[in-house]
């Protein structure tokens, strides 16, 4: 009887650990979740309330490292080094002026992934409508550098690579 209990316990423990290992998110999955969270927070539906704007701005800085670098190519307006709170403030001003915003990240390609650093090539699709109903959108390729800080992946640098089709 005791051999059955021991064998059953060992098999049950092995099964539980196997299931945990199988369903535990990989570092790539965690990075993909960060891109999804940035997309969710940066996007604004037309019917967004001021409360939803405030909640998005409250969580926005947590997605970024304390220092963030934007290398935007020919667009000099955004290019530069920012703190995560400065970037959040700039985004907040944009959000107030926009009726709707949509930001998506597509075709994530991992260039490298180490213990606490990652670089991802991604297609960025951004569009928006101002309060007067004028729409604008663009699609471009970017390299995004992320660092792991306090157990969480955070965006550190965005480098514009050029327009995409």
């Amino acid at each position: 009887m005791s051999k059955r209990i021991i064998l059953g316990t060992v098999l049950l423990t092995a099964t539980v650990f196997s299931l945990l290992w199988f369903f535990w998110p990989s570092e790539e999955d965690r990075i993909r979740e960060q891109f999804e969270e940035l997309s969710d927070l940066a996007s604004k539906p037309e019917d967004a309330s001021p409360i939803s704007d405030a909640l998005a701005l409250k969580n926005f800085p947590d997605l970024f490292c304390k220092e963030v670098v934007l290398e935007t190519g020919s667009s000099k307006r955004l290019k530069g080094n920012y703190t995560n709170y400065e970037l959040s403030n700039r985004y907040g001003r944009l959000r107030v002026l926009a009726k709707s915003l949509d930001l998506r990240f597509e075709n994530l390609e991992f260039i490298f992934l180490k213990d606490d650093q990652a670089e991802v090539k991604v297609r960025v699709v951004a569009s928006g409508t101002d309060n007067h109903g004028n729409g604008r959108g663009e699609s471009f390729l970017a390299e995004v550098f992320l660092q792991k800080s306090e157990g969480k992946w955070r965006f550190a640098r965005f480098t514009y690579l050029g327009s995409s089709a």
Side-chain angles (χ1 to χ4, degrees), residues 6-133:
I6 292 171
L7 182 61
T9 304
V10 168
L11 288 175
L12 181 62
T13 303
T15 302
V16 167
F17 281 118
S18 296
L19 288 173
L20 282 174
W21 180 78
F22 184 72
F23 289 109
W24 196 264
S26 69
E27 292 301 314
E28 284 188 11
D29 291 337
R30 290 177 183 181
I31 290 171
R32 288 178 199 282
E33 288 173 10
Q34 284 300 98
F35 278 99
E36 288 174 18
E37 189 172 350
L38 178 57
S39 178
D40 290 344
L41 285 177
S43 296
K44 174 185 177 180
E46 284 190 25
D47 61 349
S49 70
I51 293 173
S52 67
D53 288 347
L55 290 173
L57 290 175
K58 177 182 178 272
N59 296 327
F60 197 79
D62 294 336
L63 295 175
F64 299 92
C65 293
K66 292 186 190 297
E67 289 287 323
V68 183
V69 178
L70 299 181
E71 298 172 358
T72 57
S74 62
S75 175
K76 303 288 184 205
R77 284 185 338 170
L78 294 175
K79 186 175 185 174
N81 296 354
Y82 300 93
T83 68
N84 55 348
Y85 289 101
E86 288 171 336
L87 193 60
S88 179
N89 288 337
R90 288 184 79 101
Y91 171 68
R93 288 193 297 269
L94 174 66
R95 191 171 174 103
V96 167
L97 296 173
K99 186 175 187 176
S100 69
L101 295 169
D102 184 46
L103 178 66
R104 290 179 312 199
F105 299 98
E106 300 174 345
N107 305 330
L108 276 71
E109 177 186 330
F110 287 83
I111 297 170
F112 74 84
L113 176 58
K114 295 180 185 175
D115 294 334
D116 63 347
Q117 296 180 342
E119 192 156 6
V120 180
K121 185 176 177 182
V122 63
R123 180 172 176 245
V124 180
V125 180
S127 62
T129 306
D130 66 17
N131 286 324
H132 303 292

